[in-house]
Amino acid sequence: MTETIEEVIVIGAGAAGLAAADALTRHGIKASVLEKEAHIAEPWRQRHERLALNTHRDMSYLPGVPYPKGVPAFPPKAAVIAYLERYTEERGIAVEFNTEVERVTREDDRWAVHTSKGIRRARHIIIATGHDKVPWMPDWPGAAKYEGRLIHAAQFGSPKDYEGKSVLVAGAGNSGFDALNYLIGAKTGMIYLAARAGPSILPKRIGKIAVQRFSRITDALPIPIGNFMVALVQRLLFGDLRKLGFAPVKKGAISRLKEDHVAISADDGAIAAIKAGRIKVVASVAGFEPQHVVLADGAKVKADVVIAATGYRTGLDTMLDGLDVVDSKGKPKVSGAEPGGQPGLWFISMQPGIVGHFYAAGQEAKAIAARIAGSR
Ligand SMILES: Cc1cc2nc3c(=O)[nH]c(=O)nc-3n(C[C@H](O)[C@H](O)[C@H](O)COP(=O)(O)OP(=O)(O)OC[C@H]3O[C@@H](n4cnc5c(N)ncnc54)[C@H](O)[C@@H]3O)c2cc1C
């Protein structure tokens, strides 16, 4: 029996995988799209009900399919799910659902994709499984015996769940500020923000203008100028963040983004709440005692709930074990239109950027499709 070798297999039917499949179609290349879940947009369905994009709708659609009229400037979760469903349908992308890829291995000049339904083989693999697939939390000493509730930001739930409770948010990155932006709308007790260093942060809007709409301009600037611009806007709008208790950040926002993959946080009221004393900035979390969170400066805080806004991992270290294409945190060593360290292996939407994942996924999809088409 002759084995079938497909041209391209896309793993994951999120925004990035869908954009990749569509871009390939435009080059006349048929790709199989394998998705572990039973339907489109499961990661978005799992996120909390109040979540809306931090990126503007004009920077959050895939090539050629804008959001329909009436969708707010920062699309809410339901609009994102509806968008992805509509995109799949309009672009005629046939997704193979309930097909989980467990492992990818190399066989001579092709890839073997070990799925929950058997082995598939292809010349090219595009990995689109999401850069924020696995919630990650440090192994804090004493955490297991903490008597308060310790959750990851991925389990945020509803702001109402925090009413009457003191809350400590650990981490001043994107998801930390996202949690704070929602918490300040609820009748919580004291809110603490445990931060290692000052955030790279921009407001979601200035007046009625969505700041993220300028991200393409900032992205095109040389890195030192981008760093300067973000620092300037931050300083003009928020003042000196060190006066609010944040330790200084040693690197500019764009350098942190490009070199360390730390996204720029979006402020939607949290900084004003810090200034008003509703949120208190404290040192980073060092560990736990049964009744206290122990901070790096030795101080102790009592909190009913601790939200670890400590980021996500890709989980790719398991799927790609032995290929030497991801680092110890599961981050691909290369991304976008660069072959992923091995011929025919591509990663998409694995790095945060100032333009946001949706926009970047569309651009990366086009570039990868062009490279695959060029290699035929
Ligand atoms: C709280 C939060 C807020 C965010 N807000 C924004 C925002 O405002 N703007 C923005 O641009 N981005 C935002 N993001 C980033 C967001 O993840 C991306 O926008 C986008 O959803 C990523 O698309 P993706 O296709 O890369 O990954 P995902 O949407 O995660 O899709 C990956 C797909 O792959 C599937 N999959 C995973 N593993 C396997 C496997 N082994 N086999 C088969 N299928 C698999 C998954 O089920 C999923 O359907 C946010 C992320 C979070 C966590």
Side-chain angles (χ1 to χ4, degrees):
M1 198 175 84
T2 52
E3 64 177 6
T4 307
I5 303 174
E6 301 177 63
E7 190 160 10
V8 186
I9 291 179
V10 177
I11 307 174
L18 295 171
D22 184 58
L24 286 163
T25 308
R26 264 140 237 291
H27 285 277
I29 301 171
K30 194 189 162 318
S32 298
V33 183
L34 312 185
E35 168 57 54
K36 72 182 173 78
E37 302 293 344
H39 40 238
I40 292 294
E42 187 58 27
W44 279 99
R45 291 173 209 271
Q46 298 286 335
R47 289 173 190 153
H48 69 86
E49 280 314 310
R50 297 277 302 279
L51 187 66
L53 290 182
N54 279 333
T55 48
H56 189 270
R57 66 173 173 242
D58 292 348
M59 292 295 294
S60 305
Y61 65 79
L62 301 175
V65 184
Y67 277 87
K69 278 204 168 55
V71 169
F74 297 102
K77 162 181 160 163
V80 177
I81 296 169
Y83 175 84
L84 291 170
E85 284 174 336
R86 186 168 68 94
Y87 182 88
T88 312
E89 204 181 307
E90 265 184 31
R91 294 296 167 125
I93 302 168
V95 177
E96 296 177 46
F97 291 107
N98 299 311
T99 310
E100 177 160 10
V101 173
E102 288 149 3
R103 192 93 199 273
V104 172
T105 54
R106 186 79 181 153
E107 285 180 353
D108 302 324
D109 60 345
R110 73 201 73 145
W111 293 99
V113 180
H114 305 252
T115 82
S116 49
K117 292 182 174 168
I119 299 187
R120 305 269 287 262
R121 292 181 171 84
R123 300 259 175 243
H124 294 269
I125 304 289
I126 301 179
I127 307 218
T129 47
H131 91 298
D132 39 25
K133 184 174 164 182
V134 186
W136 182 82
M137 210 189 274
D139 192 9
W140 281 306
K145 293 200 173 141
Y146 185 53
E147 289 170 10
R149 202 166 158 239
L150 171 60
I151 58 168
H152 188 273
Q155 301 160 282
F156 182 76
S158 160
K160 272 183 163 278
D161 302 342
Y162 301 87
E163 284 187 358
K165 295 183 176 144
S166 54
V167 190
L168 182 139
V169 175
N174 212 354
S175 51
F177 268 90
D178 202 56
L180 294 171
N181 289 333
Y182 290 105
L183 284 172
I184 55 175
K187 291 189 178 111
T188 67
M190 189 63 200
I191 305 173
Y192 299 92
L193 169 58
R196 232 186 339 229
S200 303
I201 187 160
L202 289 171
K204 213 161 164 174
R205 306 175 191 80
I206 301 175
K208 287 194 169 167
I209 301 167
V211 172
Q212 207 259 336
R213 294 188 87 166
F214 301 103
S215 59
R216 256 179 297 178
I217 302 170
T218 319
D219 198 41
L221 295 171
I223 292 175
I225 299 178
N227 284 336
F228 174 76
M229 293 301 292
V230 176
L232 182 70
V233 175
Q234 192 171 297
R235 182 70 182 227
L236 288 174
L237 293 168
F238 302 133
D240 186 353
L241 292 178
R242 288 172 303 181
K243 290 190 180 153
L244 302 181
F246 290 108
V249 206
K250 294 196 176 75
K251 262 189 197 176
I254 307 295
S255 300
R256 288 178 89 196
L257 189 63
K258 303 223 166 175
E259 292 162 19
D260 308 335
H261 302 164
V262 177
I264 298 177
S265 309
D267 175 64
D268 203 9
I271 295 285
I274 294 171
K275 289 181 177 169
R278 169 110 165 77
I279 301 172
K280 185 172 170 13
V281 178
V282 295
S284 60
V285 173
F288 289 84
E289 290 175 354
Q291 298 203 347
H292 293 100
V293 186
V294 183
L295 305 175
D297 60 3
K300 292 178 188 179
V301 167
K302 263 189 179 240
D304 297 314
V305 190
V306 174
I307 302 174
T310 43
Y312 296 82
R313 296 272 156 97
T314 62
L316 287 175
D317 30 351
T318 320
M319 192 204 281
L320 303 177
D321 187 30
L323 295 173
D324 191 29
V325 291
V326 294
D327 68 15
S328 59
K329 294 178 177 170
K331 276 261 175 213
K333 293 181 179 170
V334 291
S335 195
E338 296 302 316
Q342 299 249 12
L345 180 65
W346 309 85
F347 295 98
I348 181 165
S349 190
M350 289 290 166
Q351 290 177 10
I354 190 158
V355 292
H357 276 272
F358 278 89
Y359 182 81
Q363 300 306 306
E364 286 177 21
K366 283 186 194 170
I368 293 171
R371 294 282 298 267
I372 292 177
S375 71
R376 284 169 122 189

Coordinates of all heavy atoms in Angstrom, one line a residue, residues 11-17 34-37 42-44 47 51-55 60 99-102 128-133 178 312 319 348-349 356-358, ligand 1:
I11 N -1.5 22.6 12.1 CA -1.9 22.1 13.4 C -2.5 23.2 14.2 O -1.8 24.1 14.7 CB -0.7 21.4 14.2 CG1 0.0 20.4 13.3 CG2 -1.2 20.8 15.5 CD1 1.2 19.8 13.9
G12 N -3.8 23.1 14.5 CA -4.5 24.2 15.2 C -5.4 25.0 14.3 O -4.9 25.5 13.3
A13 N -6.7 25.2 14.7 CA -7.6 26.0 13.9 C -8.0 27.3 14.6 O -9.2 27.6 14.7 CB -8.8 25.2 13.5
G14 N -7.0 27.9 15.3 CA -7.3 29.3 15.8 C -7.1 30.3 14.7 O -7.0 29.9 13.5
A15 N -7.1 31.5 15.1 CA -6.9 32.6 14.1 C -5.7 32.3 13.2 O -5.8 32.5 12.0 CB -6.7 33.9 14.8
A16 N -4.6 31.9 13.8 CA -3.3 31.7 13.0 C -3.4 30.5 12.1 O -3.1 30.7 10.9 CB -2.2 31.5 14.0
G17 N -4.0 29.4 12.5 CA -4.1 28.3 11.7 C -5.1 28.5 10.5 O -4.8 28.1 9.4
L34 N -5.8 20.4 11.3 CA -6.2 19.5 12.4 C -6.5 20.3 13.7 O -5.6 21.1 14.1 CB -5.1 18.5 12.6 CG -4.5 17.8 11.4 CD1 -3.5 16.7 11.8 CD2 -5.6 17.1 10.6
E35 N -7.6 20.0 14.3 CA -8.0 20.8 15.5 C -8.4 19.8 16.6 O -9.2 18.9 16.3 CB -9.1 21.8 15.1 CG -9.8 22.4 16.3 CD -8.9 23.1 17.3 OE1 -8.2 24.0 16.8 OE2 -8.9 22.8 18.5
K36 N -7.8 20.0 17.8 CA -8.1 19.0 18.8 C -9.5 19.1 19.4 O -10.1 18.2 19.9 CB -7.1 19.1 19.9 CG -7.1 20.2 20.8 CD -6.0 20.1 21.8 CE -5.8 21.4 22.7 NZ -6.8 21.5 23.8
E37 N -10.1 20.3 19.3 CA -11.4 20.5 19.9 C -12.5 20.2 18.9 O -12.2 19.9 17.8 CB -11.5 22.0 20.4 CG -10.5 22.5 21.3 CD -10.6 21.8 22.7 OE1 -11.7 21.2 23.0 OE2 -9.6 21.8 23.5
E42 N -12.3 27.5 20.6 CA -12.4 27.0 22.0 C -11.6 27.8 23.0 O -12.1 28.1 24.1 CB -12.0 25.5 22.1 CG -12.3 24.8 23.4 CD -13.7 24.9 23.9 OE1 -14.6 25.0 23.1 OE2 -13.9 24.9 25.1
P43 N -10.3 28.2 22.7 CA -9.6 29.0 23.7 C -10.3 30.3 24.1 O -10.4 30.7 25.2 CB -8.3 29.3 23.0 CG -8.1 28.2 22.0 CD -9.5 27.9 21.6
W44 N -11.0 30.9 23.1 CA -11.8 32.1 23.4 C -13.0 31.8 24.2 O -13.4 32.5 25.1 CB -12.1 32.8 22.1 CG -10.9 33.7 21.7 CD1 -10.0 33.3 20.7 CD2 -10.5 34.9 22.2 NE1 -9.0 34.3 20.7 CE2 -9.3 35.2 21.6 CE3 -11.0 35.7 23.2 CZ2 -8.6 36.4 21.9 CZ3 -10.3 36.9 23.6 CH2 -9.1 37.2 22.9
R47 N -12.3 31.7 27.9 CA -11.9 32.9 28.6 C -13.1 33.6 29.3 O -14.2 33.3 29.0 CB -11.2 33.8 27.7 CG -9.8 33.3 27.3 CD -9.0 34.0 26.2 NE -7.9 33.1 25.9 CZ -7.3 33.1 24.8 NH1 -7.6 33.9 23.8 NH2 -6.2 32.3 24.6
L51 N -14.3 39.5 29.0 CA -13.1 39.8 28.2 C -13.5 40.5 26.8 O -14.3 40.0 26.1 CB -12.3 38.5 28.0 CG -11.0 38.7 27.3 CD1 -10.0 39.5 28.2 CD2 -10.3 37.4 26.9
A52 N -12.7 41.5 26.5 CA -12.8 42.1 25.2 C -11.4 42.3 24.7 O -10.4 42.3 25.5 CB -13.5 43.5 25.3
L53 N -11.2 42.3 23.4 CA -9.8 42.5 22.9 C -9.2 43.8 23.4 O -9.9 44.8 23.5 CB -9.8 42.5 21.4 CG -10.1 41.2 20.7 CD1 -10.1 41.3 19.2 CD2 -9.2 40.0 21.1
N54 N -7.9 43.8 23.6 CA -7.2 45.0 23.9 C -6.7 45.7 22.5 O -6.3 46.8 22.5 CB -5.9 44.7 24.7 CG -6.2 44.6 26.1 OD1 -7.2 45.2 26.6 ND2 -5.5 43.8 26.9
T55 N -6.8 44.9 21.5 CA -6.4 45.4 20.2 C -7.7 45.9 19.5 O -8.7 45.3 19.6 CB -5.7 44.3 19.3 OG1 -6.5 43.1 19.4 CG2 -4.3 44.0 19.9
S60 N -7.5 43.6 14.3 CA -7.8 42.3 14.9 C -8.5 41.4 14.0 O -9.2 40.5 14.4 CB -8.6 42.5 16.2 OG -7.9 43.3 17.1
T99 N -9.2 16.1 16.5 CA -8.0 15.5 16.0 C -6.8 16.1 16.7 O -6.4 17.2 16.3 CB -7.9 15.6 14.5 OG1 -9.1 15.2 13.9 CG2 -6.7 14.7 13.9
E100 N -6.4 15.5 17.7 CA -5.3 16.1 18.5 C -3.9 15.6 18.0 O -3.7 14.4 17.8 CB -5.4 15.8 20.0 CG -4.3 16.4 20.8 CD -4.6 16.5 22.3 OE1 -5.6 16.0 22.7 OE2 -3.8 17.1 23.0
V101 N -3.0 16.6 17.8 CA -1.6 16.1 17.4 C -0.9 15.9 18.7 O -0.8 16.8 19.6 CB -1.0 17.2 16.5 CG1 0.5 16.8 16.3 CG2 -1.7 17.3 15.2
E102 N -0.3 14.7 18.9 CA 0.4 14.4 20.1 C 1.9 14.6 20.0 O 2.6 15.0 20.9 CB 0.0 12.9 20.5 CG -1.4 12.8 21.0 CD -2.0 11.5 20.7 OE1 -1.4 10.6 20.2 OE2 -3.2 11.3 21.1
A128 N 0.4 25.9 14.7 CA -0.5 27.1 15.0 C -1.3 26.8 16.3 O -2.5 27.0 16.3 CB -1.4 27.4 13.8
T129 N -0.6 26.2 17.3 CA -1.3 25.7 18.5 C -1.5 26.8 19.6 O -2.0 26.5 20.6 CB -0.6 24.5 19.0 OG1 0.8 24.8 19.1 CG2 -0.7 23.3 18.1
G130 N -1.0 28.0 19.3 CA -1.2 29.1 20.3 C 0.0 29.3 21.2 O 0.5 28.3 21.7
H131 N 0.3 30.6 21.4 CA 1.5 30.8 22.2 C 1.1 30.9 23.7 O 1.9 30.9 24.6 CB 2.2 32.1 21.8 CG 1.7 33.3 22.5 ND1 0.5 33.8 22.4 CD2 2.4 34.2 23.3 CE1 0.3 34.9 23.1 NE2 1.5 35.2 23.7
D132 N -0.3 31.0 23.9 CA -0.7 31.0 25.3 C -1.6 29.8 25.6 O -2.7 29.9 26.1 CB -1.5 32.3 25.6 CG -2.3 32.8 24.4 OD1 -2.7 31.9 23.7 OD2 -2.6 34.0 24.3
K133 N -1.1 28.6 25.3 CA -1.9 27.4 25.5 C -1.9 26.9 26.9 O -3.0 26.5 27.4 CB -1.3 26.3 24.5 CG -2.0 25.1 24.5 CD -1.4 24.1 23.5 CE -2.0 22.7 23.7 NZ -1.4 21.7 22.8
D178 N -4.8 43.3 32.8 CA -6.2 43.0 32.3 C -7.1 42.7 33.5 O -8.2 43.2 33.6 CB -6.1 41.8 31.4 CG -7.3 41.7 30.5 OD1 -7.5 42.7 29.8 OD2 -8.0 40.6 30.5
Y312 N 2.0 32.3 30.2 CA 1.6 31.0 29.6 C 2.8 30.4 28.9 O 3.7 31.1 28.6 CB 0.5 31.3 28.5 CG -0.8 31.9 29.0 CD1 -0.9 33.2 29.3 CD2 -1.9 31.0 29.3 CE1 -2.1 33.7 29.8 CE2 -3.1 31.5 29.8 CZ -3.2 32.9 30.0 OH -4.3 33.4 30.5
M319 N 5.3 18.2 22.4 CA 4.9 17.8 21.0 C 6.1 17.6 20.1 O 6.2 16.8 19.2 CB 3.9 18.8 20.4 CG 3.3 18.4 19.1 SD 2.7 19.7 18.2 CE 1.2 20.2 19.0
I348 N 3.7 29.7 13.6 CA 3.0 31.0 13.4 C 2.3 31.5 14.7 O 1.8 30.7 15.5 CB 1.9 30.8 12.2 CG1 1.2 32.1 12.0 CG2 0.9 29.7 12.5 CD1 0.4 32.1 10.6
S349 N 2.4 32.8 14.8 CA 1.7 33.5 16.0 C 2.3 33.0 17.3 O 1.5 32.8 18.2 CB 0.2 33.3 15.9 OG -0.5 34.1 16.8
G356 N -0.3 43.1 17.8 CA -1.3 42.2 18.2 C -1.2 40.9 17.4 O -0.7 40.8 16.3
H357 N -1.8 39.8 18.0 CA -1.6 38.5 17.4 C -2.5 38.3 16.2 O -2.0 37.7 15.2 CB -2.1 37.4 18.4 CG -1.0 37.0 19.3 ND1 -0.1 36.0 19.0 CD2 -0.6 37.5 20.5 CE1 0.8 35.9 20.0 NE2 0.5 36.8 20.9
F358 N -3.7 38.9 16.2 CA -4.5 38.7 15.0 C -3.9 39.3 13.7 O -3.7 38.6 12.7 CB -5.9 39.3 15.2 CG -6.8 38.4 16.0 CD1 -6.8 38.5 17.4 CD2 -7.6 37.5 15.4 CE1 -7.6 37.7 18.2 CE2 -8.5 36.7 16.1 CZ -8.5 36.8 17.5
Ligands
LIG1 C1 -6.7 36.8 28.1 C2 -6.1 36.9 26.7 C3 -6.4 38.1 26.0 C4 -5.9 38.3 24.7 N1 -6.2 39.4 24.0 C5 -5.8 39.6 22.8 C6 -6.0 40.8 22.1 O1 -6.7 41.7 22.5 N2 -5.5 40.9 20.8 C7 -4.8 39.9 20.2 O2 -4.4 40.1 19.1 N3 -4.5 38.8 20.9 C8 -5.0 38.6 22.2 N4 -4.7 37.5 22.8 C9 -3.8 36.5 22.2 C10 -4.7 35.4 21.6 O3 -4.2 34.2 22.0 C11 -4.6 35.6 20.1 O4 -5.2 36.7 19.7 C12 -5.2 34.5 19.3 O5 -6.4 33.9 19.8 C13 -4.2 33.5 19.1 O6 -4.6 32.7 18.0 P1 -3.8 31.4 17.7 O7 -4.5 30.9 16.5 O8 -2.3 31.7 17.6 O9 -4.0 30.5 19.0 P2 -5.3 29.9 19.6 O10 -6.4 30.8 19.5 O11 -4.9 29.5 21.0 O12 -5.6 28.7 18.7 C14 -4.8 27.5 18.7 C15 -5.7 26.3 18.3 O13 -4.9 25.2 18.2 C16 -5.6 24.1 18.8 N5 -4.6 23.1 19.3 C17 -3.7 23.3 20.3 N6 -3.0 22.2 20.5 C18 -3.4 21.3 19.5 C19 -2.9 20.0 19.2 N7 -1.9 19.4 19.9 N8 -3.5 19.4 18.1 C20 -4.5 20.0 17.5 N9 -5.0 21.3 17.8 C21 -4.4 21.9 18.8 C22 -6.4 24.8 19.9 O14 -7.5 24.0 20.4 C23 -6.8 26.1 19.3 O15 -8.0 26.0 18.6 C24 -5.1 37.3 24.1 C25 -4.8 36.1 24.8 C26 -5.3 35.9 26.1 C27 -4.9 34.7 26.9

